[in-house]
Amino acid sequence: ASAITDLARAWRSHLRGRVIGLTGSVGKTTTKNLTRDVCAAYGSVVATKANQNNELGVPRTLLNADPETAVVVVEMGMRGLGQIAELCDFVRPVWGLITNVGESHIELLGSRENIFKAKCELLPHIRPGGLVVLNGDDPMLASLRGRPPVPAVFCGREEGLEYRAR
């Protein structure tokens, strides 16, 4: 995996479009597909194929884009602490999105708090001028209101969120 990661890291510097990094316990692939479809209205889009969101699929996604691709939507999965950070190190997302914090992989991470920490590894990797979209209906993600390390918008069904589905 190291060689493909090195290629993707080098190729990333040639991509001029917006790179969106997306993670979460459930709903990643559906959210990635919806994001891809919405962004397609604004230009060319490359997105992670199926659910190839690991150390091989993520670099392949970057390598499938060309310098003129308007948006690259990268779905990032994880099985442990540090994995999202490792992926973000070469993905270098401009925008980020966390769908939720559930109990997927709790057997590997031990607690929802550790899953929350793992998902939040995305936040410090958002590029300057970027932002993160967070699920304001998820209590753990909602706890970041007023204190995320990067500009954030919260969306969901709850009152008081920046974007609210009704």
Side-chain angles (χ1 to χ4, degrees):
S2 177
I4 194 168
T5 297
D6 292 344
L7 285 170
R9 183 184 318 281
W11 186 241
R12 172 63 178 93
S13 63
H14 297 285
L15 302 179
R16 292 190 284 280
R18 179 163 293 141
V19 176
I20 301 172
L22 190 148
T23 192
S25 292
V26 293
K28 288 184 298 295
T29 301
T30 299
T31 303
K32 179 254 312 175
N33 291 339
L34 290 167
T35 303
R36 175 200 63 206
D37 295 349
V38 168
C39 291
Y42 300 97
S44 61
V45 178
V46 168
T48 302
K49 293 194 183 332
N51 64 344
Q52 297 179 9
N53 58 21
N54 59 19
E55 56 277 353
L56 291 175
V58 168
R60 283 184 185 143
T61 301
L62 291 179
L63 293 168
N64 283 332
D66 64 53
E68 302 306 316
T69 301
V71 179
V72 182
V73 184
V74 183
E75 178 181 333
M76 296 183 287
M78 63 88 199
R79 293 175 308 284
L81 288 167
Q83 290 185 335
I84 296 292
E86 285 176 20
L87 295 173
C88 286
D89 187 51
F90 66 89
V91 169
R92 299 196 314 267
V94 176
W95 283 7
L97 194 149
I98 304 176
T99 61
N100 52 34
V101 178
E103 295 189 355
S104 301
H105 306 302
I106 200 160
E107 71 283 359
L108 301 172
L109 286 140
S111 68
R112 284 192 72 222
E113 290 73 22
N114 281 341
I115 295 168
F116 175 65
K117 282 185 210 168
K119 298 302 179 188
C120 287
E121 289 172 6
L122 172 66
L123 301 179
H125 288 88
I126 300 301
R127 308 302 291 172
L131 71 100
V132 66
V133 178
L134 300 171
N135 178 355
D137 293 338
D138 182 286
M140 294 189 105
L141 293 173
S143 75
L144 294 172
R145 289 203 63 169
R147 58 182 193 92
V150 295
V153 294
F154 289 82
C155 59
R157 295 178 309 233
E158 299 293 325
E159 288 283 339
L161 299 175
E162 285 90 347
Y163 296 95
R164 188 167 168 231
R166 290 185 252 172

